Amino acid sequence: MATATEQWVLVEMVQALYEAPAYHLILEGILILWIIRLLFSKTYKLQERSDLTVKEKEELIEEWQPEPLVPPVPKDHPALNYNIVSGPPSHKTVVNGKECINFASFNFLGLLDNPRVKAAALASLKKYGVGTCGPRGFYGTFDVHLDLEDRLAKFMKTEEAIIYSYGFATIASAIPAYSKRGDIVFVDRAACFAIQKGLQASRSDIKLFKHNDMADLERLLKEQEIEDQKVKLKYKYKARIFLEESLSFGVLGEHGRGVTEHYGINIDDIDLISANMENALASIGGFCCGRSFVIDHQRLSGQGYCFSASLPPLLAAAAIEALNIMEENPGIFAVLKEKCGQIHKALQGISGLKVVGESLSPAFHLQLEESTGSREQDVRLLQEIVDQCMNRSIALTQARYLEKEEKCLPPPSIRVVVTVEQTEEELERAASTIKEVAQAVLL
Amino acid sequence: MRPEPGGCCCRRTVRANGCVANGEVRNGYVRSSAAAAAAAAAGQIHHVTQNGGLYKRPFNEAFEETPMLVAVLTYVGYGVLTLFGYLRDFLRYWRIEKCHHATEREEQKDFVSLYQDFENFYTRNLYMRIRDNWNRPICSVPGARVDIMERQSHDYNWSFKYTGNIIKGVINMGSYNYLGFARNTGSCQEAAAKVLEEYGAGVCSTRQEIGNLDKHEELEELVARFLGVEAAMAYGMGFATNSMNIPALVGKGCLILSDELNHASLVLGARLSGATIRIFKHNNMQSLEKLLKDAIVYGQPRTRRPWKKILILVEGIYSMEGSIVRLPEVIALKKKYKAYLYLDEAHSIGALGPTGRGVVEYFGLDPEDVDVMMGTFTKSFGASGGYIGGKKELIDYLRTHSHSAVYATSLSPPVVEQIITSMKCIMGQDGTSLGGGWAAWWLTPVIPCHNQGKECVQQLAENTRYFRRRLKEMGFIIYGNEDSPVVPLMLYMPAKIGAFGREMLKRNIGVVVVGFPATPIIESRARFCLSAAHTKEILDTALKEIDEVGDLLQLKYSRHRLVPLLDRPFDETTYEETED
């Protein structure tokens, strides 16, 4: 019975074959031939990895010579020989054996030498020892850290603050915690190296706008809006603002709260303010402050916070005391501003050097009015000026950069720093010394 | 020979020099005699030749396999937690449950969102529930015993309130205090106090500008002497030492071979450098050799140009696994293939080796073979900061090209003094600082400081061996090398992470528990950091409590069946490349 049905099916098939139109049969025939060809053709090899014999491989390994680990550094490289400061880098320091007045350390409020700060740090040292022996997550959180975060948040009038144990790592860890691949960041050209490294670690798209040029920033934002289709610029274009205030914290504003106080901006409009405590607060480390929504995220994603030991408690205690002093004498900020203005005016009109920087800023640069054409030559000239000033007891320094790594390398310059500890007479003396030396060297 | 670890009887063939060739692999390969015979019959013993003679002492490292039932239950646990997480998110979205976490500002609600919602899923729903085990604030020296501030939460860990109580005398098994230098009395602290009075707390300038104090020069010279290298340079933060100096050493066109389990700072430094990164399996020398061979033979990926340099990044002790790098083999490979070696001794400096000089001394090797010796001062010296040691050309180059020297503030002076004093203690000199120079060092009388350095190192080694042996005997699964003072105890299940931390704190012992993402998802663990400051009584108390909690939580998973490391087959897929 089964064979009959089979036969019957076969007959049906043969019949169908006869009745099929010609093109159908031809098409099927071509397809069958194609399949047979594919089955028997060789598979396509991407790379012949096994072509080299073992002997050839060994020869290659023998022959390969790597570059030396580091290229040799010439002995007269300007950065190789550091200035040695014997003793504390306070107002009067001993640099390379010569006693000088310090116009180079970022000790804006003179708190490096303050006995109250030292006493607070000493008390903390006697209680906790030096190191914290662990990151914040693993028994490295001390009550001093929590205290400092609280005080900073209150001082800056924000909800929360987070501290880091290293100033450079603060903004360099904060940026990649929020901004990832696929995000876009608009950065000022003159942003500091720490910000550049943070941006590099974040792998976001970066658009640079000209230094302090809001029109340029608006142009970039408009371009981005068109592409997307989709303080006043922030709300118009829906961008967030991160502010880096390392040099303006403790300097600008009536109470030293920085740029936001100086311009009277509501601090809630800024998403994140980052600063380091190594300038005005004369301690070590850095902090970020802002709303809890923003700052809390860093407690789990800030690399420099989670994977690094916390700030030694004596430095945190020193920072708290420095904050206390800042809160108690709000008058020092006005004094500092005045001194800045004074020396700014006094240094105008030096032949060969021009003053670069706002008159409000306690750290400004002296650049060569006319560059000689080669950066090395410029650097050498400026170093000559610096050395001669040091011989006359004024300690200055050149602003140092990593020439090959900076995105937008500023021209070489001498950095002059004003602190509250410098008397008017010293400022006058510094100005006149620089004038004389510049005249002697550049003419 | 040391007493045999482990309670079960073991049969091992051991050569006179302590390592193994052509026999049962010693590395953590422990079987009872009956089982060994059976296994031999079944052909399961693998004959692996180890490079005999490279290791001057036995290298016992073991990572016991996760029991199958435990793995399944762990996944089930995470599954349940995820389901509940979705449920809670749903309830919060529909406002049935109160939303505790901070939210975006009203004016900014239509901005591009700052965080991806899914990224925070884990934080909101899993981490938050056991958050009280981390960030425990302390208010005393992080020595062998520590005072923890008590905190309470009335809303399931969303916010904490301090009750004002202080839990005193908690045994500290979490701080990295290997040699016991975390003290607030003694010669180190006095020296630091004096320097603080004189110099102040901060520096306010970078190394290249006016922040290079005479103290820094003294420190660097001492570090170079301590390590046995030509020169050294110190930095303010250990993390930053890696992330700022690796980019200065390698760049585009160079190759970095990095261990699977390297620390975040090494990974960040490697990524910032712009070089190509390839990862080899953890401590697996065949994987590393294959990568080296392929790299030299085939060159750069598309252009086939030869690589400019090859840099191998390894750590001395891996802090999550407790394993020690196979340094003799790495150095042999590096010499054969002309690569450069970057050794991060964050945890091993001061903790390994008969005089605390780190993993190089532990294996009896020459420090000159390691091209870049990096380490930190946080763990064994009770201070903060990092250093790099090596040849003078290397250090000169770093002085001019390191990001930290140009843009970051130098080390704080009292911290520098703490490092100098503690290092001198370890070296066996007296506490006052001298002008330096070989004559002065040689003529200094050896005056014991708070506890002679060498004794600390020996005490730590003894504590390590004792603690590990007792835990293994109790039946816990312990990862890592027998000599490493970092002891990870496996917990696996997510609920046990929280339970272990809390139970131990109830019994006055502070431990560190780690889960995802610091470890693979099913391998959560508790990590004990031993210290020379732990006395035998403290260790015994701790062991007793761990035993109790282990029984309570059923943590004794070990079946004493360990996987020999060299048998892990490596395959073609170990060769990975990350495009930067």
Side-chain angles (χ1 to χ4, degrees):
Chain A
M1 203 58 201
T3 41
T5 42
E6 269 175 26
Q7 264 182 341
W8 178 67
V9 168
L10 200 59
V11 163
E12 285 253 336
M13 281 168 63
V14 171
Q15 248 187 341
L17 202 64
Y18 280 134
E19 282 172 15
Y23 70 87
H24 189 120
L25 288 173
I26 294 171
L27 192 61
E28 297 243 359
I30 291 174
L31 281 173
I32 290 174
L33 286 172
W34 188 260
I35 290 174
I36 293 173
R37 178 171 170 253
L38 280 177
L39 278 173
F40 286 111
S41 69
K42 277 197 180 149
T43 47
Y44 178 59
K45 273 205 173 83
L46 276 169
Q47 274 174 6
E48 297 94 38
R49 284 199 173 253
S50 50
D51 255 9
L52 294 171
T53 63
V54 174
K55 187 157 177 300
E56 280 171 349
K57 286 188 187 176
E58 281 183 19
E59 274 177 19
L60 280 171
I61 293 173
E62 278 286 320
E63 279 170 14
W64 180 69
Q65 283 298 335
E67 275 181 12
L69 180 59
V70 288
V73 174
K75 280 221 182 323
D76 60 351
H77 194 283
L80 187 57
N81 303 310
Y82 291 166
N83 294 321
I84 301 184
V85 177
S86 334
S90 50
H91 178 54
K92 291 212 163 63
T93 79
V94 178
V95 182
N96 292 336
K98 305 176 209 123
E99 231 203 71
C100 308
I101 303 177
N102 195 342
F103 278 85
S105 311
F106 292 119
N107 182 14
F108 301 133
L109 302 176
L111 292 172
L112 199 55
D113 238 355
N114 191 303
R116 271 175 63 181
V117 170
K118 284 188 189 173
L122 196 59
S124 174
L125 173 61
K126 291 212 162 89
K127 188 171 174 202
Y128 298 109
V130 177
T132 54
C133 299
R136 289 290 292 260
F138 304 150
Y139 303 102
T141 305
F142 284 55
D143 46 357
V144 204
H145 296 136
L146 299 172
D147 221 1
L148 178 59
E149 287 181 355
D150 213 26
R151 290 295 306 283
L152 281 167
K154 283 208 183 72
F155 180 75
M156 295 292 287
K157 300 210 175 116
T158 58
E159 277 179 21
E160 203 175 323
I162 180 175
I163 53 178
Y164 284 82
S165 55
Y166 201 50
F168 190 100
T170 312
I171 191 69
S173 303
I175 295 177
Y178 301 102
S179 180
K180 317 261 186 213
R181 230 192 260 266
D183 293 328
I184 185 164
V185 185
F186 298 95
V187 191
D188 191 312
R189 266 182 190 270
C192 68
F193 195 72
I195 296 182
Q196 291 174 29
K197 284 293 139 186
L199 292 169
Q200 192 186 348
S202 73
R203 308 203 206 184
S204 320
D205 275 325
I206 302 174
K207 298 249 154 71
L208 299 166
F209 61 89
K210 292 206 194 81
H211 178 52
N212 249 352
D213 190 344
M214 288 302 111
D216 202 31
L217 175 59
E218 181 150 18
R219 175 183 64 86
L220 284 175
L221 286 167
K222 270 208 183 85
E223 276 172 21
Q224 187 61 34
E225 200 189 14
I226 294 172
E227 245 187 71
D228 282 340
Q229 277 179 0
K230 330 189 200 181
V231 175
K232 281 187 215 155
L233 281 175
K234 168 178 162 154
Y235 289 106
K236 187 167 163 202
Y237 295 101
K238 304 204 172 69
R240 296 173 194 271
I241 302 185
F242 282 14
L243 195 55
E244 218 278 331
E245 290 219 69
S246 294
L247 290 174
S248 53
F249 178 79
V251 170
L252 289 180
E254 225 182 279
H255 299 276
R257 294 202 177 98
V259 151
T260 48
E261 201 184 24
H262 182 74
Y263 287 111
I265 298 176
N266 177 11
I267 202 156
D268 270 344
D269 281 335
I270 310 287
D271 292 274
L272 184 117
I273 297 184
S274 155
N276 70 21
M277 307 194 281
E278 293 164 359
N279 301 332
L281 281 179
S283 178
I284 302 273
F287 69 92
C288 289
C289 61
R291 297 184 64 244
S292 291
F293 176 70
V294 180
I295 298 296
D296 220 24
H297 182 70
Q298 280 182 53
R299 292 199 194 271
L300 282 178
S301 342
Q303 292 226 316
Y305 181 83
C306 301
F307 294 111
S308 172
S310 45
L311 186 63
L314 67 101
L315 296 168
I320 295 179
E321 194 59 31
L323 261 184
N324 285 345
I325 296 176
M326 270 171 68
E327 282 182 343
E328 285 165 21
N329 328 353
I332 44 176
F333 305 114
V335 171
L336 183 61
K337 209 153 94 174
E338 212 190 288
K339 296 205 171 151
C340 295
Q342 184 193 352
I343 196 166
H344 217 88
K345 241 191 330 209
L347 283 175
Q348 301 286 350
I350 303 185
S351 52
L353 290 177
K354 60 178 178 195
V355 179
V356 174
E358 299 270 331
S359 68
L360 287 170
S361 157
F364 54 90
H365 295 252
L366 293 169
Q367 287 175 11
L368 289 172
E369 239 164 39
E370 276 172 36
S371 161
T372 57
S374 107
R375 196 189 166 90
E376 277 159 33
Q377 185 72 345
D378 287 348
V379 167
R380 242 176 274 144
L381 268 180
L382 290 169
Q383 189 59 37
E384 184 63 41
I385 299 181
V386 167
D387 288 335
Q388 290 217 12
C389 284
M390 267 213 246
N391 284 340
R392 299 177 197 208
S393 320
I394 301 284
L396 290 172
T397 177
Q398 275 199 60
R400 299 277 184 199
Y401 305 102
L402 275 178
E403 282 150 25
K404 299 206 183 67
E405 309 268 339
E406 282 265 5
K407 272 207 189 107
C408 312
L409 187 61
S413 59
I414 299 177
R415 191 189 287 127
V416 181
V417 176
V418 182
T419 74
V420 279
E421 285 183 322
Q422 292 154 355
T423 62
E424 296 201 358
E425 170 211 37
E426 282 168 351
L427 287 172
E428 290 294 329
R429 210 179 87 195
S432 54
T433 314
I434 298 176
K435 272 203 182 104
E436 282 167 28
V437 169
Q439 269 192 333
V441 170
L442 293 172
L443 283 168
Chain B
M1 283 301 277
R2 301 197 311 282
E4 299 278 63
C8 60
C9 54
C10 329
R11 232 178 38 87
R12 293 178 239 169
T13 46
V14 177
R15 277 168 130 201
N17 67 356
C19 49
V20 171
N22 288 339
E24 286 182 36
V25 175
R26 187 191 171 101
N27 290 5
Y29 194 78
V30 176
R31 284 176 182 256
S32 63
S33 47
Q44 270 177 16
I45 295 182
H46 300 266
H47 291 260
V48 182
T49 44
Q50 201 173 351
N51 283 328
L54 273 185
Y55 286 86
K56 300 190 183 77
R57 54 188 299 164
F59 188 84
N60 295 324
E61 200 161 278
F63 297 92
E64 188 171 331
E65 216 179 329
T66 310
M68 176 62 80
L69 178 63
V70 175
V72 168
L73 286 176
T74 311
Y75 281 122
V76 168
Y78 276 108
V80 169
L81 282 170
T82 315
L83 282 174
F84 268 90
Y86 282 125
L87 176 67
R88 301 298 270 272
D89 275 347
F90 178 77
L91 292 176
R92 272 191 282 260
Y93 184 75
W94 289 104
R95 319 271 164 153
I96 302 173
E97 189 180 323
K98 195 159 75 149
C99 194
H100 290 274
H101 55 264
T103 45
E104 181 70 272
R105 273 178 91 199
E106 278 307 318
E107 298 96 335
Q108 295 180 206
K109 276 256 151 70
D110 54 350
F111 280 33
V112 176
S113 65
L114 196 52
Y115 315 119
Q116 285 172 319
D117 221 25
F118 188 71
E119 207 180 278
N120 280 6
F121 180 85
Y122 179 82
T123 314
R124 270 200 311 274
N125 296 309
L126 277 79
Y127 171 75
M128 223 21 118
R129 299 170 73 135
I130 45 174
R131 193 160 82 116
D132 55 311
N133 290 305
W134 292 288
N135 296 305
R136 288 186 179 150
I138 67 179
C139 49
S140 75
V141 178
R145 283 189 190 270
V146 72
D147 297 337
I148 299 184
M149 290 166 66
E150 199 183 8
R151 14 173 224 182
Q152 253 180 9
S153 175
H154 298 287
D155 50 3
Y156 300 103
N157 290 346
W158 284 98
S159 64
F160 289 107
K161 283 197 183 26
Y162 294 100
T163 60
N165 278 354
I166 298 182
I167 311 174
K168 286 201 185 284
V170 176
I171 295 178
N172 187 356
M173 307 228 66
S175 291
Y176 302 135
N177 181 21
Y178 297 131
L179 294 180
F181 277 106
R183 295 165 55 100
N184 56 357
T185 53
S187 57
C188 297
Q189 184 261 5
E190 284 164 22
K194 225 167 55 172
V195 168
L196 175 61
E197 277 295 333
E198 199 191 324
Y199 285 78
V203 184
C204 300
S205 189
T206 66
R207 286 304 286 280
Q208 279 196 4
E209 293 177 7
I210 205 153
N212 183 39
L213 308 177
D214 47 359
K215 280 268 157 225
H216 294 131
E217 306 259 318
E218 197 188 326
L219 170 67
E220 290 178 352
E221 202 216 341
L222 184 64
V223 170
R225 255 199 345 242
F226 181 77
L227 297 171
V229 292
E230 283 179 26
M233 185 170 176
Y235 304 92
M237 187 197 201
F239 185 98
T241 309
N242 280 332
S243 66
M244 297 205 216
N245 290 309
I246 298 180
L249 293 173
V250 290
K252 270 198 160 35
C254 304
L255 176 65
I256 292 184
L257 298 175
S258 158
D259 190 296
E260 214 179 359
L261 299 177
N262 268 341
H263 189 253
S265 56
L266 289 165
V267 172
L268 182 63
R271 275 179 33 202
L272 283 177
S273 67
T276 311
I277 308 175
R278 291 186 187 158
I279 300 181
F280 62 92
K281 283 205 159 56
H282 178 57
N283 237 357
N284 188 325
M285 292 301 115
Q286 288 101 316
S287 171
L288 177 59
E289 181 159 18
K290 180 174 195 308
L291 285 182
L292 279 167
K293 265 206 190 110
D294 282 349
I296 300 179
V297 166
Y298 295 112
Q300 296 192 30
R302 279 167 305 137
T303 56
R304 299 289 192 170
R305 285 199 203 112
W307 294 104
K308 288 195 200 154
K309 309 178 216 179
I310 299 184
L311 187 67
I312 305 176
L313 294 181
V314 286
E315 287 188 41
I317 292 184
Y318 291 89
S319 60
M320 281 301 154
E321 302 280 312
S323 52
I324 299 183
V325 66
R326 292 171 180 274
L327 199 59
E329 290 180 62
V330 174
I331 289 188
L333 280 175
K334 154 196 122 80
K335 284 185 176 155
K336 181 172 172 196
Y337 294 97
K338 298 185 225 112
Y340 298 113
L341 179 61
Y342 186 105
L343 177 65
D344 177 343
E345 291 207 80
H347 286 268
S348 54
I349 190 76
L352 287 183
T355 58
R357 298 302 207 268
V359 72
V360 171
E361 197 195 23
Y362 174 74
F363 286 113
L365 300 167
D366 186 6
E368 303 218 340
D369 283 335
V370 180
D371 300 288
V372 189
M373 287 184 74
M374 177 264 170
T376 60
F377 299 120
T378 327
K379 282 100 187 175
S380 302
F381 301 97
S384 75
Y387 66 85
I388 288 194
K391 296 217 155 46
K392 191 156 184 319
E393 298 93 54
L394 170 71
I395 301 296
D396 279 345
Y397 181 81
L398 286 177
R399 282 195 206 281
T400 50
H401 288 84
S402 160
H403 304 181
S404 167
V406 187
Y407 295 106
T409 315
S410 22
L411 277 161
S412 158
V415 173
V416 171
E417 186 62 26
Q418 160 81 15
I419 303 168
I420 292 178
T421 328
S422 57
M423 207 173 259
K424 285 197 173 138
C425 271
I426 298 175
M427 287 164 79
Q429 299 169 246
D430 91 284
T432 58
S433 45
L434 295 164
W438 282 94
W441 170 77
W442 179 250
L443 295 170
T444 310
V446 175
I447 300 173
C449 51
H450 70 282
N451 195 354
Q452 259 198 331
K454 207 164 167 193
E455 278 179 20
C456 292
V457 181
Q458 280 167 356
Q459 177 74 33
L460 176 65
E462 266 175 48
N463 284 354
T464 308
R465 281 196 288 268
Y466 176 67
F467 197 75
R468 277 178 171 267
R469 178 170 64 83
R470 287 287 306 275
L471 281 179
K472 284 216 180 89
E473 281 171 6
M474 287 181 199
F476 293 101
I477 297 186
I478 307 287
Y479 271 12
N481 197 304
E482 267 180 24
D483 287 320
S484 114
V486 176
V487 186
L489 186 151
M490 302 309 290
L491 299 172
Y492 298 114
M493 301 188 199
K496 296 193 185 181
I497 306 174
F500 191 79
R502 290 172 189 155
E503 288 294 320
M504 293 304 284
L505 189 59
K506 270 195 221 152
R507 292 167 169 73
N508 234 26
I509 301 183
V511 298
V512 162
V513 289
V514 209
F516 184 77
T519 61
I521 190 137
I522 61 166
E523 289 176 17
S524 14
R525 57 200 73 175
R527 189 183 69 176
F528 301 105
C529 287
L530 297 168
S531 161
H534 288 142
T535 59
K536 189 149 185 307
E537 291 78 40
I538 293 181
L539 287 182
D540 283 333
T541 322
L543 284 164
K544 187 166 75 76
E545 304 294 354
I546 295 174
D547 201 7
E548 243 179 74
V549 175
D551 283 326
L552 178 67
L553 296 176
Q554 296 186 13
L555 290 171
K556 299 187 177 173
Y557 300 120
S558 178
R559 293 167 300 173
H560 298 291
R561 263 202 286 139
L562 305 160
V563 176
L565 285 173
L566 295 176
D567 288 350
R568 281 197 206 158
F570 76 95
D571 46 85
E572 301 291 309
T573 58
T574 54
Y575 175 100
E576 288 163 54
E577 194 167 319
T578 44
E579 285 294 295
D580 264 22

